[in-house]
Amino acid sequence: MYLIQGTSINDDAYILSCIIENLVGNKIFLPFVSNFWVSIICFGRTTTIPAFCVFGKAPLKASNGAESLYNYTVKGGKPILVLFGLEYAHAMPDIKEALNVEAVRFHDSNSGFQIHFANVTNSVITPSASMKLENRHLMLNGEQDNNEDSSQKTDTKFRLGGLGWSLPEGHRMEDYLLFWIGLDNSAFTNFILTFNSCEIVRYDAIEGCLKTDVSQQAKILKRRYYLVEKAKDANMVGILVGTLGVAGYLDMIHQMTELVTRAGKKAYTFLMGKPNPAKLANFPECDVFIYVSCAQTALLDSKEFLAPIITPFEALIAFNR
């Protein structure tokens, strides 16, 4: 068993804490990899090696969190979907219990029916060596799972960032207020961008208060749209390989190369570990970089870089004309 937590393989290779890299396992011939003490993980399938994730237990005062959640439910007027960082998964039973106490305190027995909690899907990640991109199209995170018989009434299931939840038939994500418990990190940004039409608030467990300022959501979206527009004017495109373990990464690299070539631009592939401004400054000829990684680490803030860094999905928007 190999325990990974931002482990450096050599001077220039860096493993992000959310990615299970089979490079480590292949080097020392291990049949199993454990991603240990992880708070941010995308749960992308590995290529060859199974992985078991052990989540950290960040402190959270359940009574304060439940009080903020209950008060927001009363004011919101819409059902609430509770999402959380994986480091706070251990505290969800305490939150639910404290929420029942709040409901009894205010003599509101129906409040529990307006609050829905997401669950951790699974702590085990199974390999998928033969994973292919169906019809050569990107698969989006947060995709609905509607494989059941359409003649039967069924809930709509969602999965994103290690969390899973279901909505009753006829309900949409836009019908819910999203209540995030956790830090303002890449996992939270992933949910913001995926469900950008939903109202989202965040409970900061460290400060013990509710953050209702949603201006960040609009700023992130505007920034990503701006990067897409800049990418359209690029002549030389660099493809950054940010993972060697997530299933389908090689197919994605080939798809990005074909996409860039069809758009009449030159494509170059780079494998350099974790990108930083100093490394990418060695390639000033590249007008834009496409970062092939998992859903959560691919969203890099490239303000300090000489050239913008976009995701494969944003590359499809920019180059698929």
Side-chain angles (χ1 to χ4, degrees):
M1 180 182 293
Y2 194 90
L3 305 182
I4 300 178
Q5 185 188 10
T7 304
S8 293
I9 296 177
N10 53 47
D11 292 339
D12 194 46
Y14 181 86
I15 302 302
L16 293 173
S17 61
C18 103
I19 301 176
I20 310 293
E21 292 292 347
N22 66 349
L23 178 61
V24 179
N26 288 342
K27 275 197 169 188
I28 54 181
F29 305 103
L30 293 178
F32 187 87
V33 175
S34 173
N35 208 21
F36 181 74
W37 202 255
V38 173
S39 61
I40 305 174
I41 184 169
C42 64
F43 272 83
R45 285 195 174 185
T46 55
T47 305
T48 56
I49 303 176
F52 177 77
C53 302
V54 181
F55 307 118
K57 294 184 178 181
L60 172 66
K61 194 170 183 180
S63 58
N64 288 354
E67 182 179 357
S68 297
L69 176 56
Y70 181 85
N71 293 337
Y72 188 68
T73 304
V74 174
K75 294 189 301 182
K78 295 171 66 176
I80 288 183
L81 175 62
V82 180
L83 306 168
F84 48 88
L86 296 176
E87 68 272 31
Y88 296 105
H90 70 97
M92 290 306 107
D94 296 333
I95 290 285
K96 294 178 182 179
E97 183 178 349
L99 197 59
N100 291 331
V101 173
E102 288 291 323
V104 172
R105 175 184 168 192
F106 290 97
H107 308 288
D108 186 2
S109 59
N110 294 324
S111 62
F113 295 102
Q114 298 297 321
I115 303 177
H116 306 269
F117 283 80
N119 299 305
V120 178
T121 53
N122 201 340
S123 59
V124 177
I125 302 176
T126 55
S128 179
S130 61
M131 181 178 180
K132 300 293 182 180
L133 296 177
E134 296 182 0
N135 300 323
R136 307 294 291 171
H137 288 293
L138 290 175
M139 295 182 65
L140 300 180
N141 280 305
E143 184 179 4
Q144 299 179 14
D145 185 5
N146 288 323
N147 295 326
E148 302 291 337
D149 186 357
S150 59
S151 62
Q152 299 178 355
K153 292 185 178 181
T154 179
D155 294 344
T156 304
K157 298 180 181 179
F158 292 83
R159 289 176 296 176
L160 180 63
L163 299 181
W165 64 94
S166 59
L167 302 183
E169 185 183 18
H171 287 221
R172 304 175 304 162
M173 284 298 299
E174 292 78 8
D175 300 330
Y176 288 77
L177 302 175
L178 304 187
F179 190 97
W180 174 265
I181 300 177
L183 304 177
D184 184 1
N185 51 24
S186 59
F188 179 52
T189 302
N190 193 18
F191 278 93
I192 286 179
L193 294 180
T194 303
F195 303 110
N196 55 74
S197 59
C198 299
E199 181 181 345
I200 302 178
V201 296
R202 182 176 68 89
Y203 176 76
D204 193 316
I206 297 178
E207 298 181 8
C209 62
L210 192 65
K211 307 286 187 178
T212 58
D213 184 11
V214 296
S215 60
Q216 175 199 19
Q217 179 177 346
K219 290 180 180 178
I220 293 176
L221 286 173
K222 288 180 180 179
R223 173 67 180 171
R224 303 314 301 187
Y225 283 131
Y226 168 74
L227 295 180
V228 170
E229 292 301 317
K230 286 201 67 174
K232 291 179 179 179
D233 299 328
N235 294 317
M236 190 172 295
V237 180
I239 300 175
L240 302 177
V241 182
T243 177
L244 296 176
V246 175
Y249 81 94
L250 198 55
D251 295 304
M252 181 61 69
I253 294 173
H254 292 158
Q255 183 183 1
M256 290 296 103
T257 303
E258 294 174 4
L259 177 69
V260 172
T261 304
R262 286 200 309 267
K265 307 174 188 298
K266 295 182 180 179
Y268 296 90
T269 304
F270 302 96
L271 176 60
M272 61 176 64
K274 183 181 179 181
N276 60 49
K279 290 180 182 178
L280 297 189
N282 293 318
F283 309 99
E285 300 85 0
C286 292
D287 302 310
V288 66
F289 293 95
I290 303 173
Y291 192 29
V292 177
S293 183
C294 73
Q296 291 179 183
T297 58
L299 292 169
L300 286 180
D301 186 1
S302 55
K303 292 181 179 179
E304 298 181 359
F305 292 77
L306 296 179
I309 302 176
I310 62 176
T311 67
F313 177 72
E314 292 166 342
L316 274 178
I317 298 175
F319 303 138
N320 195 10
R321 300 176 182 176

